Amino acid sequence: MMGNPKIENTEVVHGNPQELPKKVLAFVSEIAQLCQPDKIWLCDGSEDENKDFTRLMLEENLVINLPKYENCVLARTNPQDVARMESKTYICTEEKREAIPEPKPGVKGTLGNWMSLKQLDEEIKSRFPGCMKGRTLYLLPFSMGPIGSPISHVGIQASDSVYVAASMRIMTRMGKNVYKVLGDKDFVKCIHSVGVPLPAQKPIINNWPCDPEKTMVAHKTKTNEIWSYGSGYGGNSLLGKKCFSLRIGSAIARREGWLAEHMLIVGITNPQGVKKYIVGAFPSQCGKTNLAMLTSPIPGYKIECVGDDIAWMRFDENGVLRAINPEFGFFGVCPGTNHHTNPVAMDMIFKNTIFTNVAKTSDGGVFWEGLEKELKTHVSITSWTGEKHWTRDSGKPAAHPNARFCTPLVNCPILDPHWNSPEGVPISAILFGGRRPEGIPLIYETRSWKHGVYAGASVSSEATSAAEYKGHKVMHDPFSARPFLSYNAGKYIEHWLQMEKDYRKMPKIFHVNWFRKNKEGHYLWPGFGENIRVLDWIMRRCDNEPIAVESPIGLLPKEGSINLEGLPDPINWEELFELPEDFWKREMNDIETYFNQQIGDDLPPAIREEIENQKKRLGISK
Ligand code: OXD
Ligand code: MN
C-alpha cells in the first residue's frame, strides 16, 4: 500500500513535495531535519485547506467559535504572549555598526538590538533542534504584494502553529500559485516555532504554546532569513508582516533604492472629483487603521483604502512615487474600535476574522473597551483572561489593550479599486505624526524634502501597548519605524535623503498631531472622521493653493483655511496651532540630544543643518 510521501523521513500529510521548486524542497528538508516535526503540511491556500485550519484550531482548543458572526473565531493567548517583543528582536549582521549606530558612552542604545551572526548560530542551536517534535510543520508559500508585481517579494514560512498558518493566509497572498512566479529564484526564508515540543515539559497555559523566556525574533538581513522562536503572537510569528515587510523589506529596499515603510495608504476624492493618494507613518496605536478607512462627516468626499500598516514605495520611470500594500489583510487593534471611531472596520470584521485576546459575550459575540454603547443589555461578558461575568468594577480591562482582529482586505467595503494593482498607486503626500499631548500643532507642512526627512526622523509619540511598554511616556520613534529598523538609523535617514532627485516629483511632506490637549487635559481636535478637514487642506496644498503661512517649524494653515463648518464643538484655533517658546526650546534640545546620543557620527550632516536652521528660525541661540 502506498503511504503518504515523505520529506526527510517525515510524513507529508497534505500536498505533494514533487510540486515544490527545488530550493523550496531543500529549505523544508533542512528545517524538517533541524526541527524534527511529526508531520509536514504543504499549504496550498485553498478554501478547503482553510476549513481544515479552522477545524484543527478548534480541535487543539486554540480558538473558540463565535456563532454570532460568519466564520469568526477567538484565540486567547498565554497572558505572557500578547505583544511584539521588541527587547527580544535582533538584527544580525557581521558588524554591529551596520545594524545599529554607536550610542554615546554611558547611554543605552534604543535603535535596535544587534546580535552577531556567530551568536545567532549559537542561539539557533540552543533552540531549534527538535523544537517541532510532536507537531506539524506548516509550509506557507506567500507573496508580499500582488503575485508577480515587480515590487512584490516571495517568502516561505515554516511554522509549527496552525493559528499562524490560518492568520498568514489572511495577512498575505498565501498559496501554491506563488511557486509559479518563484521558480528557481531565491525567497525570504522564514522559520517560526512556538518553542514547545511535545510532550510539553511545562503546563500549556490557555492551550497557547509559547516560551516567553526563550523568545527570540532574529533577522539576517544580508541573506534574507528570519528565525522566530517562542512566541505565537502577531508580529512575532506572522513573519510576513513586521519581520519581512518592514525589517527584511527595508534592507532589500536600501539595496535596491526604494522604501519599505510603516505607513497606511489611502485614496481621497474631494467634492470636485479630484483624487489623490496619501501615505502616513504613525507609531503603533495612533489611529492608522482609523485614518486609512475614515468616514467623512462632510458630504462629497470619498475615501478609499489601500492599506493600514505598511507601504512599499518606488519611484517609477516618470519620477512618480508609487506605493503598494504588501499585505493582504488587516491586523488591527480592537479596543477603541466602534461605530464612531471606525464604522468601516465595524462593517468588515464580523466575517472570516480571527480575533485575539478580546472578551466574549454570552450570545457568542465579542466585546472590548469602546463597545460599551453597542452592547446588548442582556448579555454577560467573559474577559480575555477568562474572568466570567466581567464588569467594569473588576478593575481590569475586558479585552487586552493590544487585542486584535485579523481580517481579509477584501472584507473592506471601501477598498480602493487599485488596491491590487501591480504598479501601485501614485503618492502625492507623505504624513508623519505621533501622539503628542503638548506643543505640536494639528498640522504643518515641511519646507522641503530635506526638512520633511528631518521631521520624519524626529517623530516622537506616547508609548504603545502593541509592544511591551507600560504607561504613556513620550518616546522617540524615527519614521515611526524604530521597532522595525533593520540597519543603522543614520543610514536609514541618509537613504531617505537620497530619494530626492531633480527628475522626480517629490511628494510634499506634512506632520500631523490629532492628540494635542489643552491645559485641562481635553483634546483640542475631535479627530477620527473630522480629520478629513485636515486631509482636505493637505490636498489643496499639494495643488499649491495659497492657504499656508510661514512659521519657524514649517508652513501652518492660514487662519480659517481649514474648513471648520459643522464641527460639533467650537475649535480653539490659537491653542491648536500655537508654538510655545519654552516647549520648542525643550523640543529642539531634546531632538538634538537624542540624535547626538543615539545616532552620533552616523547622523547625516544635512539633518544637523536642518536642526540648526530650525533653531535659528525659532530664535533659539546656544
Ligand atoms: C502593528 C504594530 O501591529 O505596529 O501594526 O504594532
Ligand atoms: Mn503597525
Side-chain angles (χ1 to χ4, degrees):
M1 205 175 76
M2 291 262 288
N4 280 331
K6 291 197 166 163
I7 295 177
E8 287 298 321
N9 287 329
T10 311
E11 193 185 356
V12 176
V13 293
H14 190 271
N16 179 359
Q18 285 176 353
E19 286 179 1
L20 300 181
K22 252 205 228 118
K23 284 183 179 163
V24 177
L25 184 60
F27 170 65
V28 62
S29 304
E30 191 191 327
I31 300 306
Q33 200 172 46
L34 177 69
C35 304
Q36 297 165 32
D38 251 24
K39 297 172 199 157
I40 295 176
W41 183 301
L42 304 173
C43 301
D44 58 24
S46 66
E47 207 34 70
D48 279 351
E49 178 181 70
N50 194 37
K51 288 200 181 102
D52 286 333
F53 289 162
T54 308
R55 178 180 51 76
L56 287 164
M57 286 194 291
L58 288 164
E59 273 170 26
E60 289 183 28
N61 292 319
L62 261 171
V63 298
I64 52 172
N65 253 325
L66 293 167
K68 189 167 170 186
Y69 315 123
E70 194 184 326
N71 192 27
C72 291
V73 293
L74 163 60
R76 283 180 298 194
T77 71
N78 177 325
Q80 289 194 74
D81 191 22
V82 292
R84 283 186 287 103
M85 298 292 277
E86 287 179 15
S87 58
K88 300 190 175 185
T89 298
Y90 299 92
I91 304 301
C92 308
T93 53
E94 244 148 71
E95 299 291 327
K96 187 170 178 184
R97 186 95 174 250
E98 288 172 46
I100 54 174
E102 189 60 39
K104 270 256 157 68
V107 173
K108 188 181 169 322
T110 56
L111 289 166
N113 305 311
W114 175 74
M115 189 188 276
S116 71
L117 294 169
K118 205 161 147 254
Q119 178 72 28
L120 176 62
D121 278 345
E122 294 302 313
E123 302 294 341
I124 290 173
K125 273 191 212 136
S126 73
R127 288 172 173 79
F128 283 88
C131 68
M132 295 186 184
K133 274 193 183 146
R135 298 192 178 277
T136 302
L137 182 163
Y138 296 90
L139 192 75
L140 301 144
F142 63 97
S143 172
M144 296 317 293
I147 293 181
S149 153
I151 315 184
S152 301
H153 282 77
V154 165
I156 311 284
Q157 177 163 346
S159 173
D160 57 6
S161 159
V162 62
Y163 166 89
V164 167
S167 306
M168 281 289 285
R169 185 178 183 273
I170 295 174
M171 294 306 297
T172 71
R173 290 147 171 101
M174 191 279 277
K176 66 179 180 184
N177 48 354
V178 167
Y179 293 137
K180 288 204 195 97
V181 295
L182 180 64
D184 290 339
K185 292 195 282 294
D186 288 323
F187 48 87
V188 177
K189 292 179 178 165
C190 308
I191 303 101
H192 167 255
S193 171
V194 293
V196 184
L198 296 172
Q201 301 300 305
K202 290 186 221 156
I204 298 180
I205 296 166
N206 275 352
N207 301 310
W208 181 269
C210 61
D211 188 351
E213 269 127 58
K214 286 174 88 178
T215 293
M216 171 183 89
V217 185
H219 306 72
K220 283 165 98 169
T221 47
K222 209 164 181 183
T223 49
N224 296 341
E225 281 171 56
I226 304 160
W227 290 84
S228 169
Y229 185 94
S231 166
Y233 168 80
N236 302 328
S237 68
L238 313 181
L239 300 187
K241 194 172 180 60
K242 305 299 187 180
C243 298
F244 179 163
S245 293
L246 289 174
R247 299 194 191 99
I248 297 290
S250 60
I252 299 174
R254 182 191 186 194
R255 296 195 286 267
E256 297 180 353
W258 50 280
L259 297 165
E261 300 297 326
H262 191 208
M263 288 181 172
L264 64 91
I265 313 169
V266 68
I268 307 155
T269 309
N270 69 13
Q272 293 73 45
V274 178
K275 181 168 186 180
K276 292 194 197 305
Y277 289 94
I278 289 177
V279 289
F282 298 87
S284 309
Q285 298 191 343
C286 283
K288 280 217 312 290
T289 306
N290 296 343
L291 189 61
M293 46 190 85
L294 169 157
T295 300
S296 171
I298 312 176
Y301 291 90
K302 186 165 174 189
I303 304 293
E304 286 161 302
C305 175
V306 180
D308 77 328
D309 198 39
I310 299 172
W312 281 359
M313 299 184 286
R314 268 179 208 256
F315 284 93
D316 67 13
E317 61 283 7
N318 300 316
V320 173
L321 186 63
R322 294 198 161 262
I324 63 162
N325 172 10
E327 300 194 278
F328 201 51
F330 300 106
F331 188 64
V333 176
C334 294
T337 303
N338 58 41
H339 278 103
H340 168 63
T341 60
N342 195 337
V344 174
M346 295 299 284
D347 242 16
M348 70 178 195
I349 58 178
F350 298 113
K351 130 171 142 194
N352 300 333
T353 291
I354 301 175
F355 291 96
T356 303
N357 287 341
V358 299
K360 176 179 153 293
T361 55
S362 52
D363 60 348
V366 291
F367 175 78
W368 50 75
E369 278 58 30
L371 283 185
E372 294 78 0
K373 287 200 191 127
E374 306 183 18
L375 190 67
K376 300 233 164 61
T377 44
H378 64 275
V379 297
S380 76
I381 294 170
T382 304
S383 79
W384 76 281
T385 56
E387 183 186 334
K388 294 221 159 63
H389 304 290
W390 176 94
T391 65
R392 249 196 272 171
D393 303 336
S394 117
K396 294 193 200 121
H400 186 276
N402 191 35
R404 300 282 180 147
F405 55 80
C406 181
T407 298
L409 284 188
V410 293
N411 276 16
C412 179
I414 59 158
L415 199 57
D416 190 77
H418 300 293
W419 69 278
N420 205 19
S421 300
E423 69 278 10
V425 297
I427 300 304
S428 300
I430 297 173
L431 270 49
F432 288 111
R435 214 175 247 279
R436 297 300 303 270
E438 225 196 310
I440 311 283
L442 175 64
I443 165 104
Y444 65 90
E445 177 183 327
T446 63
R447 304 161 59 87
S448 61
W449 182 259
K450 228 163 73 176
H451 185 234
V453 173
Y454 154 76
S458 24
V459 163
S460 292
S461 191
E462 284 180 340
T464 167
S465 53
E468 64 267 49
Y469 300 110
K470 303 261 177 312
H472 292 294
K473 197 172 149 254
V474 172
M475 294 167 64
H476 286 276
D477 194 347
F479 300 91
S480 306
R482 184 193 44 73
F484 316 117
L485 292 173
S486 65
Y487 60 91
N488 185 311
K491 305 292 172 209
Y492 199 96
I493 300 173
E494 185 70 56
H495 182 63
W496 263 82
L497 289 167
Q498 282 169 1
M499 285 294 125
E500 186 175 26
K501 308 266 189 266
D502 282 348
Y503 63 90
R504 288 180 173 168
K505 302 177 183 74
M506 303 311 291
K508 279 183 189 276
I509 301 180
F510 299 84
H511 189 286
V512 299
N513 176 26
W514 319 127
F515 302 97
R516 192 169 187 174
K517 290 180 176 170
N518 65 12
K519 293 198 180 58
E520 289 74 47
H522 299 304
Y523 287 115
L524 287 163
W525 180 249
F528 304 112
E530 306 295 0
N531 292 338
I532 188 66
R533 300 166 189 273
V534 178
L535 298 182
D536 173 75
W537 188 84
I538 290 170
M539 284 177 72
R540 288 156 64 201
R541 282 301 300 153
C542 288
D543 290 336
N544 292 316
E545 265 192 52
I547 48 174
V549 285
E550 289 270 355
S551 91
I553 65 162
L555 299 157
L556 294 176
K558 255 188 196 163
E559 183 148 5
S561 64
I562 293 181
N563 174 8
L564 302 181
E565 241 179 78
L567 273 172
D569 296 306
I571 292 299
N572 187 330
W573 184 281
E574 205 169 302
E575 271 189 281
L576 251 185
F577 289 102
E578 73 174 335
L579 306 174
E581 218 179 291
D582 56 336
F583 171 87
W584 276 97
K585 243 190 205 158
R586 262 187 286 129
E587 178 76 359
M588 294 309 293
N589 182 44
D590 182 55
I591 289 171
E592 201 170 4
T593 308
Y594 173 73
F595 284 155
N596 284 338
Q597 292 192 338
Q598 293 291 333
I599 308 185
D601 293 345
D602 289 319
L603 187 73
I607 299 299
R608 284 197 193 285
E609 261 168 49
E610 288 301 325
I611 297 176
E612 281 317 310
N613 292 342
Q614 181 138 315
K615 276 166 51 182
K616 269 191 216 132
R617 292 193 302 269
L618 283 159
I620 303 170
S621 50
K622 286 215 166 139

